[in-house]
Amino acid sequence: MIQLIRGFKDILPGEVEVWQHVEKITRALFEDFGFTEIRTPILERTELFKRSIGEETDIVEKEMYTFPDRKGDLITLRPEATASVVRSYIQHKMYATDPVRKLYTIGPMFRRERPQKGRYRQFYQINAEVFGVTSPLMDAQVILLITKLFERLSIPDVKAHVNSLGCPECRPKFNKALEDVLESVKDKLCEDCTRRSGKNPMRTLDCKVPSCREALSDAPSISDFLCTECRNHFETFISSLEKMDIPFKVDKRLVRGLDYYTRTTFEIQTEMLGAQNAVAGGGRYDGLVKALGGPEQPAIGFGVGFERLIDIAGLNVEDFINKPSLYIAALGDRCVSEAFNWQCLFNLEGIRTEMDLGGKSLKSQMKRADRLDAMHVLIFGENELESGFAILRNMKTKEQTEISINNIIDNIKKLI
Ligand code: HAM
């Protein structure tokens, strides 16, 4: 038997209903806030991710599914959505009519990480991206959007961890100070941090290796190096969160695993997930549109891990399963052929109806109706055909009613 690939998973009936519900809630909320959907390809040129996520990141260095196509061009299964959305914004000159664009996308991403609970090699993300707005009020609104999404999915205790990563103006000064510390503790750093110390020092703050954490416990914080504009931006952002009563925590050590971020960055973490505690992450990437060949346009967005969201959402699949309203237990060829016609009409009327086409006994059909949790069963055999009345059984109350088979669609619609 051919099995699926490690780190990949099927989303089966009985679980997909919850996914559909989460998608429905997300779409409704985002569209109320003026977002429109965008769907970009799953394969992109490798170059796009290298230039946006950054060459010195775990994603680009170790986790991308990259391969040459038949002509030898390097292509990659998207490890995230932001780069593709930015590419599309530039390619279709979306900024030309109105630079302010709010876009969302839901779909699979691919990262070749070590699979474990909450970490997959194909996983889904909900992404929202806003282009063309510099104001920190938008940063607060983006956090509001995530918190409200979580609230609507009955997820308790959501707290945004927020930080500012500065801008090309102030970050170099911070990097210099950090590099000096890194130099002084270089013997204690892991291989990755040693390699990144020179090129991408900020990434070392995110290292999970305990000896690196220990060595860098006194490392400087970017917050001490912010330029006036970045500081004002962050302060307005924070006070807007307070005004909107959004729970948050300033986390000066928060850096992200992707290089394009500037200023506001955030993660939504939860104790409910164990090691993989980040449900969502995002921030500003004011330089990315320009860096990828577009005009100077600020941007901010976030990605929510779909599987992790579902893991912590207080949702019961039973509430979303689409059970049949009606099961027709027809007996004998004549009745089956007549009932088949009814079944099609009921389904077209929006009354989900099932029946057996394999000539099963009444007993085994009733058993199947039970298994499907059908609300009503319509019993229709030769006797009923003769008398002109079928029997409608309410499976909960066990009450039975005789229904005239003349005009049966209307008669049943009145009763169920
Ligand atoms: P990210 O932090 O790499 O950000 O991913 C966002 C979320 O995707 C994570 O918080 C996590 O819930 C989920 N996730 C990431 N990797 C995995 C995995 N291997 N298995 C399951 N879930 C995973 C981004 O991707 C940015 N593009 C977000 C963004 C949008 N920033 C601005 N706009």
Side-chain angles (χ1 to χ4, degrees), residues 116-167:
Q116 61 183 78
K117 190 175 166 2
R119 191 156 78 191
Y120 307 98
R121 290 180 169 177
Q122 174 175 331
F123 60 97
Y124 285 71
Q125 268 186 2
I126 299 167
N127 276 266
E129 317 288 352
V130 181
F131 295 92
V133 185
T134 314
S135 166
L137 297 179
M138 183 50 82
D139 306 21
Q141 193 179 65
V142 158
I143 305 277
L144 173 81
L145 198 61
I146 308 184
T147 356
K148 290 296 159 194
L149 175 64
F150 283 39
E151 217 173 275
R152 290 191 183 181
L153 295 172
S154 315
I155 299 171
D157 302 329
V158 176
K159 192 176 259 177
H161 292 234
V162 302
N163 194 16
S164 173
L165 295 183
C167 67

Side-chain angles (χ1 to χ4, degrees), residues 213-270:
R213 285 193 161 249
E214 164 84 40
L216 293 172
S217 58
D218 291 331
S221 290
I222 178 108
S223 53
D224 301 326
F225 291 82
L226 294 182
C227 61
T228 315
E229 274 188 35
C230 286
R231 187 177 308 282
N232 289 345
H233 187 100
F234 194 59
E235 277 166 13
T236 313
F237 163 58
I238 295 290
S239 64
S240 322
L241 291 180
E242 281 164 353
K243 258 191 218 143
M244 292 199 276
D245 263 339
I246 300 174
F248 70 92
K249 177 178 182 279
V250 176
D251 180 351
K252 291 180 177 181
R253 303 287 289 200
L254 180 78
V255 290
R256 305 259 305 124
L258 306 96
D259 279 354
Y260 47 62
Y261 291 111
T262 50
R263 293 197 170 163
T264 309
T265 45
F266 52 86
E267 257 180 27
I268 312 293
Q269 301 173 359
T270 166

Side-chain angles (χ1 to χ4, degrees), residues 117-118 161 208 267-280 308 312:
K117 190 175 166 2
H161 292 234
K208 303 280 183 291
E267 257 180 27
I268 312 293
Q269 301 173 359
T270 166
E271 312 266 286
M272 294 161 81
L273 281 174
Q276 301 308 315
N277 63 351
V279 201
R308 296 185 191 175
I312 57 172

